[in-house]
């Protein structure tokens, strides 16, 4: 591992209002340019001030053609959908939801006892042959996510394999890696990223040196495609980030609201189904 991936782009997350007035930090969003293929969107929910008023959450909305990955660190998200599924994504839990041909769902964040909400939602694309597949959930309880620590580096593996340890999320088209990585001060970590896979790191705490560049939280980093591994180290501060990587589908995309399809016609069909009440039936 002598060729670390360089930072291609550093993105400062922007405050965005979504759902029924939920304030969040958004670093990437679906665009025709599809620069982060197979990843589409990354949102960070962080409410630390109870004076922000009642949480209104994300009332019933449709999804098609994508997967949504919700990871909570503090507080929880109550969800229910048009198919009759419901549950609570608690602290440390992950919900990997493949919307496929369609679901309508509601996502309602709830504060922890100390009043905080802290979590993330990633959207992963589906390849064209799976966009109209049956909706599917992988609900992962915090206790089933493998966590290990080595030389000051603590890793929770949600999807993918690290040092022979595999995360519980399986059978995802993008062969994704999704990990929560925490480096203590004065630590170093090298991790192989498969050739051709796109890799992003969302640094949400502390300061790290990624391929010789110092980066302070909060930033989304997109890595170049050249190189065979990721190299991160810390000096005086700790660093904690979500590392995601996956195989690009290299297909054209047409995003529209909560839908991401391959053609405008498929978006028009989706809107027709919504109007006629046949969506997610
Ligand atoms: Fe949603």
């Amino acid at each position: 591992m002598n060729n670390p991936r360089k930072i291609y782009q550093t993105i400062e997350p922007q405050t965005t209002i979504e759902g029924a007035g939920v304030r969040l930090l958004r670093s990437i969003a679906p665009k025709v340019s599809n620069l982060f293929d197979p990843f589409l969107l990354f949102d960070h929910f962080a409410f630390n001030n109870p004076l922000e008023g009642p949480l209104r959450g994300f009332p019933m909305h449709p999804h098609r053609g994508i997967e949504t990955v919700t990871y909570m660190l503090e507080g929880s998200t109550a969800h229910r959908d048009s198919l009759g599924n419901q549950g609570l994504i608690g602290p440390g839990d992950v919900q990997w939801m493949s919307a496929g041909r369609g679901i309508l769902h509601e996502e309602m964040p709830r504060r922890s006892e100390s009043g905080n909400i802290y979590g993330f939602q990633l959207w992963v694309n589906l390849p064209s042959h799976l966009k109209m597949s049956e909706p599917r959930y992988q609900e992962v309880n915090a206790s089933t996510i493998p966590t290990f620590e080595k030389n000051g580096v603590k890793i929770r593996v949600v999807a993918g394999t690290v040092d022979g340890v595999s995360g519980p999320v399986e059978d995802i088209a993008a062969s994704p890696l999704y990990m929560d990585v925490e480096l203590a001060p004065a630590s170093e970590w090298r991790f192989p990223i498969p050739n051709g896979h796109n890799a992003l790191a969302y640094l949400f705490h502390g300061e790290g040196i990624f391929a010789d560049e110092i980066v302070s939280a909060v930033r989304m980093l997109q890595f170049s495609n050249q190189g065979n591994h990721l190299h991160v180290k810390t000096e005086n501060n700790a660093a904690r980030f979500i590392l995601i990587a996956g195989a690009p589908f290299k297909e054209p995309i047409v995003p529209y609201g909560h839908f991401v399809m391959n053609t405008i016609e498929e978006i028009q069909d989706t809107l027709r189904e919504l109007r006629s009440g046949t969506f997610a039936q």
Side-chain angles (χ1 to χ4, degrees), residues 9 16 22 60 62 66 123 173 194 201 235 246 251 271:
Q9 169 172 209
T16 307
V22 180
M60 277 295 171
I66 61 163
W123 290 9
E235 289 179 344
E251 293 178 342
L271 296 175

Side-chain angles (χ1 to χ4, degrees), residues 16 18 21-25 44-50 52-58 72 74-77 109-112 114-119:
T16 307
E18 262 294 344
V22 180
R23 205 171 71 182
L24 47 81
L25 282 175
H44 177 184
F45 318 109
F47 307 94
N48 299 313
N49 183 353
E52 281 176 10
L55 284 177
R56 286 155 292 186
F58 306 91
M72 298 302 296
E74 259 199 278
S76 56
T77 296
R110 294 182 185 170
R111 295 181 192 281
S112 67
S114 54
N116 297 339
I117 291 184
Y118 206 95

Side-chain angles (χ1 to χ4, degrees), residues 58-63 66 68 70 95 97 103-107 121 123 258:
F58 306 91
M60 277 295 171
H61 56 276
H63 285 289
I66 61 163
T68 66
T70 308
Q95 182 198 61
M97 191 270 290
I103 60 141
L104 285 152
H105 76 167
E106 177 187 274
E107 297 157 288
Q121 189 170 83
W123 290 9
H258 299 97

